[in-house]
Amino acid sequence: EAGVTQFPSHSVIEKGQTVTLRCDPISGHDNLYWYRRVMGKEIKFLLHFVKESKQDESGMPNNRFLAERTGGTYSTLKVQPAELEDSGVYFCASSLQGAETGELFFGEGSRLTVL
Amino acid sequence: SQQGEEDPQALSIQEGENATMNCSYKTSINNLQWYRQNSGRGLVHLILIRSNEREKHSGRLRVTLDTSKKSSSLLITASRAADTASYFCATPDRGTGRRALTFGSGTRLQVQP
C-alpha cells in the first residue's frame, strides 16, 4: 500500500513567486493535515481536512496560503506571493480515524526555499 | 509555550546506553503520541499511549504518562546509531477542540557508534 506522497520534494523560488505543493494521502483516509516546520523549530499545524471540507484552518498564517482538497482525494497548498519567512518544510499527513484515536501517517515533506 | 514541549532539546549518548526524553503538555488529553524524524525524512509514528494508561512498551521503547503532572517520557533502551533522529511528542489539543495533533520542537538524539 502506498504511503503519503508529497510533491515536489524541494522547491526554490524567488520572493513574490507562487508555489503549489501537492499531497496524496493514503487511499481511504478521510483526514488530511498540513504542517510546517521552520528552521528546526516546532512542527506547526496549518490545517485539517475531513474529506473535502476544511475542518480547521486556524493554523494558516495569512491569506497568502490557500489549501484545497477537491473531491476529497489529493490536496494542494498554494503560497502566493511567497515571502522569505515562508521557507521551511511542509509536511502532509493523513489518518483514518483522526488524531483523537489514532496515528497520523506523514509524507516525506516538501522543502520550500524562498530567496 | 507549546502544548507539547520536549526536554532536553538535544541529547548525545554512546551506543548501548539508554536515552530518556521528556514531554510536558498543558491541556487535558485523551492520548499522547511519540514520533521520530530522521534527517530529511517524514515523521514516523512510534507509539500511542491513552490517558487511562500509565506505561506502554514497544520493542526497545518504553513510554510513561503521568496525567496529574501532564508529562510523558520516552525511554529508548540499548540505543543504536540508527536511533539518531529527532523525537517529538504530540497530543490532540482538547483545550482548543482541535482534532489534529499539536507537536513540540522535539529532542535531537545523537547516538555515537
Side-chain angles (χ1 to χ4, degrees):
Chain A
E1 180 182 303
V4 177
T5 56
Q6 293 187 243
F7 181 83
S9 58
H10 193 184
S11 180
V12 181
I13 61 173
E14 299 279 337
K15 174 182 172 181
Q17 289 185 321
T18 298
V19 64
T20 300
L21 310 177
R22 173 171 169 144
C23 169
D24 286 77
I26 292 173
S27 178
H29 282 192
D30 288 340
N31 294 277
L32 186 150
Y33 312 82
W34 284 99
Y35 287 87
R36 176 173 73 172
R37 192 176 193 203
V38 175
M39 292 291 289
K41 295 183 179 177
E42 72 267 24
I43 298 170
K44 282 198 168 183
F45 167 80
L46 296 178
L47 87 159
H48 171 205
F49 284 99
V50 177
K51 297 184 180 179
E52 68 275 11
S53 300
K54 291 177 184 175
Q55 178 72 28
D56 181 352
E57 54 182 331
S58 61
M60 295 287 263
N62 51 60
N63 59 10
R64 295 186 293 103
F65 289 74
L66 175 64
E68 295 181 324
R69 192 182 182 195
T70 307
T73 55
Y74 71 91
S75 174
T76 58
L77 179 65
K78 179 189 289 188
V79 185
Q80 179 183 29
E83 297 289 343
L84 298 178
E85 63 264 26
D86 300 333
S87 295
V89 182
Y90 290 78
F91 291 103
C92 175
S94 71
S95 71
L96 186 62
Q97 299 172 307
E100 308 97 316
T101 53
E103 66 182 280
L104 272 58
F105 295 84
F106 280 81
E108 298 280 279
S110 291
R111 179 176 294 277
L112 174 63
T113 302
V114 183
L115 303 176
Chain B
S1 56
Q2 300 301 309
Q3 165 71 343
E5 287 280 2
E6 294 86 351
D7 168 55
Q9 291 187 343
L11 181 61
S12 182
I13 60 174
Q14 295 295 124
E15 209 166 23
E17 293 180 337
N18 295 341
T20 300
M21 289 159 270
N22 303 297
C23 166
S24 60
Y25 58 92
K26 293 188 177 298
T27 65
S28 64
I29 61 171
N30 58 5
N31 74 69
L32 185 143
Q33 304 181 31
W34 284 91
Y35 288 79
R36 182 188 73 221
Q37 184 193 16
N38 291 87
S39 181
R41 306 297 298 276
L43 283 81
V44 174
H45 180 263
L46 295 176
I47 198 165
L48 181 153
I49 185 166
R50 303 196 187 283
S51 59
N52 60 353
E53 298 176 306
R54 292 295 169 260
E55 188 171 312
K56 199 164 183 179
H57 297 255
S58 177
R60 293 184 296 112
L61 305 181
R62 172 178 167 252
V63 168
T64 62
L65 179 64
D66 187 335
T67 53
S68 66
K69 295 181 179 178
K70 291 187 167 57
S71 67
S72 173
S73 68
L74 171 67
L75 168 67
I76 303 174
T77 60
S79 64
R80 306 167 182 168
D83 294 329
T84 294
S86 290
Y87 292 81
F88 298 86
C89 69
T91 61
D93 189 348
R94 296 175 77 182
T96 62
R98 175 173 292 171
R99 293 178 54 198
L101 292 178
T102 299
F103 289 83
S105 301
T107 293
R108 294 186 309 280
L109 174 65
Q110 177 76 40
V111 181
Q112 306 286 351

